[in-house]
Amino acid sequence: MNETMTQTSPSPAQIEADHWRECLSALVDGELSATEVDGLMAAIERDPQLQAVWARYQTIGPLVVRANAALSPVPAANDPVFWRRWALAASFVAISTVTWGLLEQSAPDSATLAQGQDTVWLSSAAGPMMRDPVLEELLQEHRELGDGGALQVSTGFLRNVTLHTTP
Amino acid sequence: MTPPDEPVRPLPNSDSLLVQRCLDGDKRAFDLLVIKYQRRVERLIGRMVRDVDAVPDIAQETFIRAYRALPQYRGDAQFYTWLYRIAVNTAKKRLMVMKRDPLVFAPDTVDEDGDETSSVWREPRGYSADNETPESVLASREIAQAVNDAMAALPPDLRTAIELRELEGLSYEAIALAQGCPIGTVRSRIFRAREAISARIQPMLEHQTGKRW
């Protein structure tokens, strides 16, 4: 399969230049055969520009890696800023869970909270999101209560206010 | 995970090939090693000495010492790890002569691959971009964007090949298996991908010579 990108047929000199540049590219990756290295060294001696090509190719790899990392939405595992933020968020979730349980007075006992179930990762439009399963259960309970008694209390409260404020 | 009884085959390494050629008397191979590592060695030395003007000199001395010591290189460490130690020792000796208080960088922060762990995004003090400017940060972002644009503009086969090589570190053989094509095709694809990326970013790199990238 011909994968050549050029439209016009290249000159023999261009073909040779491309061949040695391709050899340099393979040498960057340590994939050049010993026999080709012999020819390449002679070519470099004839054409010092190939040394500049070698230098250029050396920069491509690190640039690709850096560019990929720089524009990646997922933080690097060894990024200390990411882990500090993660720890802060985890602390917030833990404190919120305990506080929520105390306020509702229906939270599971401390032994239940301390059991430490596995963290759940959910995908969202803003990226991966960590959810605490205990918190999820409490939120579910709250939603269920909200559909019934809690909502009725609120409407009753509103009705009472209406009655008291109507002349 | 690799089973313990299965031999681990190291990835091909141009350094060992070039070192062997040097040992066989081919000085041109050492030129390629110098070109490959010169900037990295200068960055390392630049973090150790305050005298910016001394950096190229110490780097040159490092390579001379490395060339002379090459027969003692046993190949049990990566070439850059070995070169790194020579550079650090050369810089220390020079600093003792200069009798300054120069160490601004702990030279033991090198990992097993020979990379200075503190140098991922930093350039040497005073030697290039330690005093990073908003312009240099912007230029770096522009280059990163240009590289990604160049990658995105590549035909899918070329993009996959270069990604598997540069991001995943696969050998040509493994890439050939992954792409279902001959190794020669992989080699050609990676070459053309490099040429395309290079053409896209070369003007920016020339503009940024001596700076962050």
Side-chain angles (χ1 to χ4, degrees):
Chain A
M1 184 174 69
N2 183 10
E3 295 190 347
T4 309
M5 294 170 78
T6 51
Q7 297 295 319
T8 56
S9 57
S11 66
Q14 185 62 44
I15 291 172
E16 187 185 359
D18 282 352
H19 171 70
W20 294 125
R21 288 208 307 278
E22 184 177 319
C23 285
L24 277 174
S25 171
L27 184 61
V28 168
D29 299 325
E31 299 269 8
L32 199 63
S33 68
T35 51
E36 283 180 306
V37 174
D38 287 336
L40 178 61
M41 291 300 163
I44 288 173
E45 203 160 16
R46 289 194 303 272
D47 181 7
Q49 284 296 315
L50 287 173
Q51 287 192 345
V53 175
W54 167 258
R56 209 165 66 221
Y57 287 169
Q58 294 293 340
T59 66
I60 299 290
L63 283 176
V64 168
V65 173
R66 286 181 177 190
N68 184 63
L71 300 184
S72 171
V74 179
N78 59 355
D79 182 357
V81 176
F82 165 71
W83 287 111
R84 275 200 294 274
R85 287 177 180 166
W86 187 90
L88 188 66
S91 304
F92 177 75
V93 168
I95 292 168
S96 302
T97 304
V98 174
T99 308
W100 186 273
L102 290 173
L103 287 175
E104 290 290 312
Q105 298 199 351
S106 60
D109 59 23
S110 56
T112 309
L113 281 174
Q115 278 178 351
Q117 299 177 42
D118 291 338
T119 304
V120 176
W121 287 89
L122 302 172
S123 60
S124 71
M129 187 166 61
M130 187 193 72
R131 297 302 291 265
D132 187 325
V134 176
L135 178 60
E136 283 296 308
E137 283 180 19
L138 291 170
L139 288 172
Q140 183 60 32
E141 283 179 19
H142 176 67
R143 279 193 290 271
E144 287 169 4
L145 285 171
D147 289 341
L151 186 61
Q152 284 172 359
V153 169
S154 297
T155 49
F157 170 73
L158 286 172
R159 189 168 56 244
N160 290 341
V161 169
T162 307
L163 284 171
H164 283 293
T165 54
T166 303
Chain B
M1 191 173 172
T2 308
D5 56 342
E6 186 175 315
V8 178
R9 192 171 52 173
L11 280 175
N13 184 350
S14 65
D15 290 358
S16 54
L17 197 151
L18 291 172
V19 166
Q20 189 53 52
R21 289 196 69 88
C22 293
L23 292 173
D24 293 342
D26 191 342
K27 292 180 181 176
R28 297 166 300 191
F30 194 75
D31 289 341
L32 295 185
L33 286 169
V34 172
I35 292 169
K36 180 175 180 178
Y37 288 115
Q38 185 166 21
R39 192 167 154 74
R40 209 165 160 189
V41 165
E42 286 179 348
R43 281 202 302 263
L44 167 66
I45 296 167
R47 278 191 296 277
M48 295 182 66
V49 300
R50 295 185 190 280
D51 187 353
V52 173
D53 296 333
V55 172
D57 210 22
I58 299 171
Q60 188 181 25
E61 193 180 334
T62 297
F63 284 112
I64 291 171
R65 288 162 64 111
Y67 185 75
R68 287 178 182 157
L70 210 53
Q72 280 110 56
Y73 173 62
R74 298 191 304 273
D76 48 1
Q78 287 199 23
F79 177 73
Y80 181 70
T81 307
W82 182 76
L83 186 64
Y84 172 91
R85 290 179 190 135
I86 294 176
V88 168
N89 289 335
T90 306
K92 278 182 178 175
K93 283 184 181 176
R94 179 67 69 92
L95 290 167
M96 286 172 69
V97 173
M98 292 158 76
K99 292 187 177 175
R100 293 185 184 178
D101 173 25
L103 287 176
V104 294
F105 160 72
D108 56 353
T109 54
V110 58
D111 63 25
E112 290 181 0
D113 293 332
D115 291 319
E116 310 91 73
T117 50
S118 62
S119 67
V120 178
W121 286 98
R122 294 180 67 81
E123 293 288 320
R125 176 183 292 272
Y127 192 64
S128 56
D130 188 55
N131 47 354
E132 203 169 64
T133 62
E135 289 79 12
S136 69
V137 172
L138 180 63
S140 297
R141 285 184 185 159
E142 285 175 350
I143 290 170
Q145 188 61 55
V147 170
N148 277 292
D149 290 348
M151 294 279 284
L154 289 173
D157 287 342
L158 271 61
R159 186 170 64 244
T160 303
I162 193 76
E163 283 179 349
L164 289 175
R165 175 62 212 168
E166 299 291 10
L167 299 180
E168 306 298 331
L170 296 190
S171 68
Y172 284 10
E173 186 182 3
I175 297 170
L177 278 171
Q179 294 199 298
C181 65
I183 290 177
T185 304
V186 170
R187 182 170 119 159
S188 171
R189 285 174 180 173
I190 291 174
F191 160 62
R192 283 183 285 136
R194 283 196 173 117
E195 283 286 295
I197 296 168
S198 175
R200 188 79 167 245
I201 63 172
Q202 193 57 30
M204 305 171 87
L205 288 177
E206 284 170 358
H207 183 67
Q208 285 291 308
T209 301
K211 294 186 180 176
R212 181 174 184 164
W213 292 82

